[in-house]
Amino acid sequence: MTLHRQAGPGADFVASYAEEDLVLQTARGLAGEVGLTPVTAGCGAVLGLLAQMGSARTVVEIGTGTGVSGIWLLRGMRADGVLTTIDVEAEYQRMARRLFLEAGFASSRTRVIAGRALEVLPRLSDAAYDLVFVDGDPVEYESYAEGAARLLRSGGLLVMHGVLTRTAAAACATAVRDSELWSPAVIPIGDGLLAAVRQ
């Protein structure tokens, strides 16, 4: 006997399910003004959920932008958690820093570092982080994954954005899948999230 699934709301329902408040809407609007495309609300909600599920206290974000993904991550993290966020554009980070405060997070909850991620990551402590989120230059994703392998504690989570739309990001996702260091899965939301647990 064959069971036929009834057609549901599908992609429209997924796209509209996660709601954003005024602070996130402002961050998203500013991103558009400076030519950035932040994670979708659905991706943001998944980021917050992953941070909450892992009881994340120490998180590294590669690609601050105007703070959209950072706000979602902070809302999922523990109340004493600290987000270390890295971006080459100090102008974007000024916007993000203001919006983190407007979202209710004390300045002690964020460590905002201006610079190239590949130059900053080596200065961060080994096995000291619960989650690393990557939304930077896809060409550098494999190097970011190598850095994350050092930064994450055993059981920590690597999350990479754009694996369904960016060729270099997809290639990195394949390399992560084929590595014995990671237990990965692709979450098909927005531009695609790779989530991989550090062994």
Side-chain angles (χ1 to χ4, degrees):
M1 179 171 128
T2 303
L3 296 176
H4 295 282
R5 219 172 27 171
Q6 290 186 335
D12 292 339
F13 178 72
V14 172
S16 64
Y17 186 78
E19 296 182 340
E20 295 187 320
D21 60 13
L22 183 58
V23 177
L24 278 166
Q25 291 170 21
T26 301
R28 189 172 296 284
L30 288 170
E33 289 177 17
V34 297
L36 297 176
T37 304
V39 298
T40 64
C43 282
V46 171
L47 290 176
L49 180 67
L50 292 172
Q52 186 172 11
M53 289 174 63
S55 192
R57 188 177 62 83
T58 51
V59 174
V60 173
E61 175 187 45
I62 298 172
T64 309
T66 57
V68 174
S69 52
I71 291 170
W72 280 108
L73 285 164
L74 283 161
R75 288 180 174 169
M77 293 166 63
R78 286 171 35 172
D80 61 344
V82 175
L83 172 70
T84 298
T85 182
I86 307 163
D87 203 297
V88 293
E89 294 290 344
E91 175 193 353
Y92 303 160
Q93 290 186 319
R94 280 192 292 274
M95 299 179 197
R97 198 187 302 264
R98 175 173 60 83
L99 288 161
F100 293 153
L101 292 172
E102 288 184 17
F105 300 106
S107 58
S108 60
R109 293 286 314 278
T110 59
R111 182 167 57 152
V112 181
I113 303 174
R116 287 190 65 240
L118 293 182
E119 295 173 0
V120 174
L121 294 180
R123 305 201 305 262
L124 303 181
S125 300
D126 293 3
Y129 294 89
D130 301 313
L131 190 154
V132 173
F133 172 59
V134 178
D135 191 15
D137 183 351
V139 173
E140 297 181 339
Y141 268 35
E142 288 200 41
S143 296
Y144 296 152
E146 291 172 7
R150 180 183 60 80
L151 296 176
L152 287 167
R153 61 171 174 77
S154 178
L157 187 65
L158 168 65
V159 183
M160 306 185 102
H161 180 240
V163 298
L164 296 181
T165 60
R166 305 172 188 171
T167 302
C172 179
T174 301
V176 167
R177 181 198 65 196
D178 295 341
S179 169
E180 294 182 356
L181 284 176
W182 306 100
S183 293
V186 170
I187 303 170
I189 189 165
D191 289 339
L193 293 175
L194 170 75
V197 175
R198 173 72 162 91
Q199 297 304 301

